Amino acid sequence: MALGAIHRANTIKQLQLDLFHSNVSDKAVPPAYLYSMASRYFHLHLEQLRPSIWFIQIILLICIYTFYGPIGSSQWQLADLAMRTAIEIGLHYAPRDGQAVDRDMAERSRVFWTAYSIEISLAYNLGRPPSIGEEHITARLPVVNSRDLSFGLHHIKHRRIQSRIVSQVYNARSRDREVSLQERQGFIASLQAELDEWRRELHDICPRDAHAPYPHSYWDRLYHGTTFVLHRASPLCPRPSDESLECCIQSAGAYIEDMTEVLRTSNVPLSWMLVQGVLFAGLTMLVTARTCCHRLAARTGVRFFLVDLPAWSRKCLVCLAIMNERWNEDLLSKLDRQFELLADDTLEVISTQLTSPGASSRLLIREAT
C-alpha cells in the first residue's frame, strides 16, 4: 500500500481519472505512515518468520520502497537478506523433474530473479560484490506467457550483463590478469556487442509507437548508463582505447539528456539512486574529458569540447537543480554546488590545454585532413 501511495499521482494521471468524478479519494494516506506500519509489524514478528517464498517477497517489497528515500534498513542489507534467504531455500538452482509442480516452479523462478535483479542493481550502482556468482545459478528464467512478463525477462537479461561487468571488469584483481591490452579491449567490445544486441531485441518486444509499461526512454537510460560504465577507466582496462573514451562520454551525455527530459516532463519519484545515476554520469564525463582531452580532441575535434561537453555539463546541473528544488535535501544542494565548481574548473583546464600553441597546431592539421 505504501508503494501504491507513492505512485498514486502518476497512476491517476495514466488512467486519466478525475478525482471529482470518480471513487478515488483526494485525501491519500501518506506513504511514510503506511511504510512505518508495515515496518513495525515486520520487526514485531521477525522472530516468528521462517525462510520461505512469502518471507522473501516481504523483504523485497520493503527493499523496493526504500529506493524512494533513506528510511529504515538500508537497501543493500535488505537485498542481501532476501538473496541469502533465497539461496538458503534453494531458489538459485533448478529442481529436478518431478520435484516441483509447474506453478511452484514459476513462483520460485519469479521470486529468485526479482531478488537477483534488485541485488545486482544495487551492487552495480554501489560498486559492491553480489551475494552469489553467476556460476552458482542454475535457476531457469521465468517462462514468458504474457507481454508484461517479457519486459521483466528483458530487464533480467540486462542485469545479467551488468553482473558480468561487476565481476569481470571491476573485479579488484582484474588489473593483475596476464592478458594483453588488446585482449582486455576485446573483452570490453564483446560486452558492448552483447549490450547492443539486448537493445535491438527491445524493438521486437516493444516498437516505439506501442503503449508499454515502460517508455523507450527508460530502456535507453539503462543502455547508456551501462555503456559509459563499461567504457570508462576500470581495473580491467585502466587505459581505455580512444574509441572507448569517446563512447564513454557520448553515453554519459545521452544519459544526462534523457534524465533532463524526464525531470522536466514528469514528476518521477526521487531517490538517492536516481541522484547518484545523474551525478555519476556527470562526474564520469568530466573526469574522462579532463584526463584524456588531447587523445579525445585528436579523435573528435574541437567542437566536442566547445559545444557538446559544456551543453551536457549544463544539463547535468539542471537535473541536480530540479531534484534539489523538489526534494529539498541539504546534501543534494551541496552536491549541486560542488559539481558546478568542478564543471567550471574542468572546462577551464581543458580550454587552456587545447589552446596551447602546440595543441592548436595539431588540431588545425587534423581538422584540415
Side-chain angles (χ1 to χ4, degrees):
M1 291 177 68
L3 280 167
I6 285 179
H7 295 281
R8 175 178 175 273
N10 286 337
T11 302
I12 291 173
K13 182 178 179 180
Q14 289 174 9
L15 296 177
Q16 298 181 336
L17 296 176
D18 187 341
L19 289 176
F20 297 101
H21 300 91
S22 69
N23 295 324
V24 181
S25 171
D26 60 346
K27 295 181 179 179
V29 180
Y33 171 74
L34 293 169
Y35 172 79
S36 66
M37 289 178 63
S39 182
R40 186 164 63 249
Y41 284 126
F42 178 73
H43 289 291
L44 280 174
H45 300 284
L46 186 58
E47 293 182 358
Q48 301 172 19
L49 294 170
R50 296 291 177 266
S52 66
I53 287 179
W54 282 12
F55 181 48
I56 297 169
Q57 288 173 325
I58 291 170
I59 300 171
L60 292 176
L61 285 170
I62 294 174
C63 185
I64 292 170
Y65 181 86
T66 60
F67 271 84
Y68 298 98
I71 16 184
S73 302
S74 75
Q75 300 163 328
W76 176 252
Q77 292 171 334
L78 287 166
D80 180 71
L81 176 59
M83 180 55 81
R84 292 190 181 279
T85 305
I87 294 171
E88 182 179 352
I89 62 176
L91 298 189
H92 63 296
Y93 74 89
R96 296 175 182 173
D97 293 340
Q99 285 186 326
V101 299
D102 289 345
R103 184 182 61 186
D104 292 339
M105 286 283 291
E107 186 176 37
R108 287 169 61 92
S109 177
R110 288 196 303 271
V111 171
F112 173 78
W113 288 109
T114 299
Y116 172 91
S117 296
I118 291 174
E119 193 194 37
I120 291 300
S121 174
L122 290 166
Y124 180 82
N125 285 286
L126 299 176
R128 298 174 183 175
S131 300
I132 185 171
E134 294 282 327
E135 67 275 12
H136 296 291
I137 300 173
T138 61
R140 302 186 186 99
L141 291 170
V143 177
V144 177
N145 52 18
S146 69
R147 186 164 176 267
D148 287 344
L149 196 55
S150 65
F151 285 105
L153 185 59
H154 203 61
H155 194 84
I156 292 169
K157 288 180 179 179
H158 176 261
R159 294 305 179 197
R160 299 192 81 173
I161 296 173
Q162 289 187 326
S163 176
R164 285 192 283 281
I165 293 174
V166 170
S167 63
Q168 299 176 44
V169 178
Y170 286 87
N171 185 319
R173 295 185 178 181
S174 295
R175 194 186 304 269
D176 303 327
R177 294 182 190 174
E178 295 182 0
V179 294
S180 66
L181 177 61
Q182 187 176 5
E183 289 176 306
R184 293 169 188 261
Q185 293 174 348
F187 183 73
I188 298 291
S190 68
L191 281 173
Q192 183 61 53
E194 192 174 346
L195 191 59
D196 291 339
E197 179 60 27
W198 171 84
R199 194 185 196 189
R200 282 191 292 271
E201 289 176 358
L202 176 65
H203 296 287
D204 297 331
I205 301 171
C206 176
R208 283 197 174 270
D209 57 349
H211 177 73
Y214 293 96
H216 263 269
S217 59
Y218 169 78
W219 302 103
D220 286 341
R221 282 199 305 280
L222 289 181
Y223 173 80
H224 290 300
T226 306
T227 298
F228 79 74
V229 171
L230 176 61
H231 288 278
R232 68 193 289 268
S234 64
L236 178 67
C237 201
R239 184 178 170 82
S241 66
D242 293 352
E243 182 181 359
S244 277
L245 291 175
E246 182 183 8
C247 186
C248 173
I249 297 183
Q250 292 277 10
S251 292
Y255 180 91
I256 291 169
E257 282 187 341
D258 189 72
M259 278 306 309
T260 306
E261 187 65 20
V262 168
L263 290 169
R264 281 175 170 170
T265 59
S266 69
N267 192 24
V268 59
L270 297 180
S271 68
W272 282 115
M273 201 65 72
L274 198 68
V275 174
Q276 181 174 316
V278 172
L279 191 61
F280 188 40
L283 290 174
T284 297
M285 179 180 63
L286 291 178
V287 171
T288 303
R290 183 172 184 147
T291 56
C292 306
C293 67
H294 288 298
R295 291 172 60 195
L296 278 164
R299 179 178 176 84
T300 63
V302 181
R303 175 182 170 81
F304 184 79
F305 291 97
L306 295 180
V307 179
D308 297 335
L309 185 62
W312 289 328
S313 299
R314 285 194 301 271
K315 287 183 178 180
C316 188
L317 283 168
V318 168
C319 287
L320 293 173
I322 292 174
M323 289 189 283
N324 183 36
E325 182 179 345
R326 292 182 184 176
W327 212 2
N328 194 26
E329 285 280 347
D330 290 339
L331 177 58
L332 190 51
S333 62
K334 293 177 183 177
L335 292 173
D336 186 2
R337 290 194 298 272
Q338 289 174 355
F339 183 84
E340 184 175 10
L341 291 173
L342 178 63
D344 291 342
D345 184 63
T346 297
L347 294 174
E348 182 178 350
V349 168
I350 290 174
S351 65
T352 300
Q353 292 184 15
L354 295 183
T355 53
S356 63
S360 299
S361 59
R362 286 194 300 270
L363 288 173
L364 286 172
I365 292 172
R366 180 198 174 278
E367 292 293 339
T369 56

